[in-house]
Amino acid sequence: MNIVVCVKQVPDTTEVKIDPVTNTLIRQGVPSIVNPFDKNAIEAALQLKEKHGGTVAAISMGPPQAKDALKECLAMGVDEAFLVSDRAFGGADTLATSYTLAAAIKKLDQVDIIFCGKQAIDGDTAQVGPEIAEHLGMAQVTYAAKIEVEGDHVRIEREHEDGYEIVGAKLPLLISVVKSINEPRYPTVKGTMKANRAEIPVLTSSDLDIEAGKIGLKGSPTQVRRIFTPPQRTQGMIICKETIHETVEELITRLSEAKIV
């Protein structure tokens, strides 16, 4: 079983900075971590490998420093890692990102399962995984909390606010996972030493079969036009009259004065 896990290096949410000109994240000088949901995806992939055999590859799109995230994945037990990096990819939205990652995944061997985290903590869109599946013409199941594989059949429990949904699917398949699916393992000392020595191949735009107009800012139909801090909410009020009728009348009066009704 050949498994690919899409990993994103994200800025520490307490240190996020925005370029006021391009309205994109400034990553230089900002502490970065492996997206927490992607660690759950790595763990899910490693558990399937341990049970069914095969290989696990991690792939990430980002600047050169994203190699640090991939080395952490290697230290956890991933077999190989690939970085998709090129200035031409800069400023990509979810559509351009998923298009580029899908093209990179096509360069790898036959893939049975693609794992993604539920979402990245910087953008919180949860769009890239499903869009990769669409680009590859692959079935997808999101919000996976439990996965069982038998042959080419997969049984998945999808997590909802009110319970779980049981879904069946066939390989090849893309799966995005939620935090409750597992507890990611820690990198071992031996794994960390091996990862530090590893050479991570870099795939650039010239290595991929892609159209220039579909990558980076040019290939991004959605862009951030303005960033602002929402106004602070004012403290509410308590209306309590002698009767319910009087209370309702007072509430309507207040709402009318505020031009809400």
Side-chain angles (χ1 to χ4, degrees):
M1 180 181 295
N2 294 327
I3 303 172
V4 173
V5 185
C6 296
V7 177
K8 185 177 184 182
Q9 186 185 54
V10 296
D12 190 326
T13 53
T14 62
E15 299 289 340
V16 169
K17 298 178 182 178
I18 303 293
D19 187 320
V21 177
T22 63
N23 286 327
T24 57
L25 293 175
I26 300 174
R27 296 183 181 274
Q28 294 298 326
V30 179
S32 298
I33 59 174
V34 177
N35 182 50
F37 290 110
D38 295 346
K39 284 190 175 182
N40 295 110
I42 289 287
E43 180 63 29
L46 292 175
Q47 289 182 11
L48 281 184
K49 173 193 169 183
E50 291 165 355
K51 186 174 182 179
H52 300 282
T55 61
V56 177
I59 188 167
S60 181
M61 175 176 155
Q65 71 186 57
K67 284 186 177 182
D68 294 337
L70 290 171
K71 287 191 174 184
E72 185 172 347
C73 296
L74 290 169
M76 290 176 67
V78 166
D79 298 295
E80 55 185 346
F82 301 89
L83 176 63
V84 182
S85 185
D86 194 312
R87 287 187 178 274
F89 302 146
D93 69 353
T94 59
L95 185 63
T97 297
S98 61
Y99 172 76
T100 305
L101 283 171
I105 291 171
K106 287 180 182 179
K107 298 284 290 185
L108 307 181
D109 293 332
Q110 175 88 27
V111 176
D112 298 300
I113 298 179
I114 300 173
F115 275 109
C116 299
K118 180 184 76 169
Q119 63 195 59
I121 62 171
D122 55 355
D124 284 327
T125 64
Q127 294 174 351
V128 172
E131 287 175 351
I132 289 174
E134 184 68 20
H135 288 304
L136 296 175
M138 184 180 292
Q140 59 174 296
V141 179
T142 56
Y143 301 101
K146 185 177 181 180
I147 302 169
E148 296 176 359
V149 178
E150 181 146 357
D152 64 346
H153 286 75
V154 185
R155 180 181 183 274
I156 297 172
E157 289 188 11
R158 298 185 71 237
E159 184 179 83
H160 291 277
E161 291 182 359
D162 300 323
Y164 293 89
E165 175 186 17
I166 308 299
V167 177
K170 280 190 174 183
L171 301 179
L173 179 67
L174 183 143
I175 304 172
S176 68
V177 304
V178 295
K179 189 174 182 60
S180 62
I181 191 171
N182 55 44
E183 186 66 34
R185 67 192 67 187
Y186 289 102
T188 63
V189 174
K190 183 178 180 181
T192 301
M193 293 176 64
K194 182 179 179 181
N196 288 335
R197 297 192 300 269
E199 290 293 330
I200 297 178
V202 178
L203 301 176
T204 66
S205 58
S206 61
D207 298 316
L208 306 180
D209 184 13
I210 54 178
E211 297 179 30
K214 293 184 177 181
I215 61 175
L217 278 173
K218 290 183 178 180
S220 301
T222 56
Q223 297 180 11
V224 179
R225 296 298 186 186
R226 185 166 65 100
I227 295 176
F228 63 94
T229 302
Q232 188 174 4
R233 292 185 177 181
T234 57
Q235 188 174 2
M237 65 180 70
I238 298 176
I239 300 174
C240 184
K241 297 293 184 177
E242 292 186 1
T243 67
I244 294 178
H245 182 73
E246 291 176 342
T247 301
V248 171
E249 283 190 341
E250 180 65 19
L251 175 60
I252 293 174
T253 299
R254 298 285 183 90
L255 292 175
S256 298
E257 291 174 351
K259 297 183 179 180
I260 297 175
V261 296

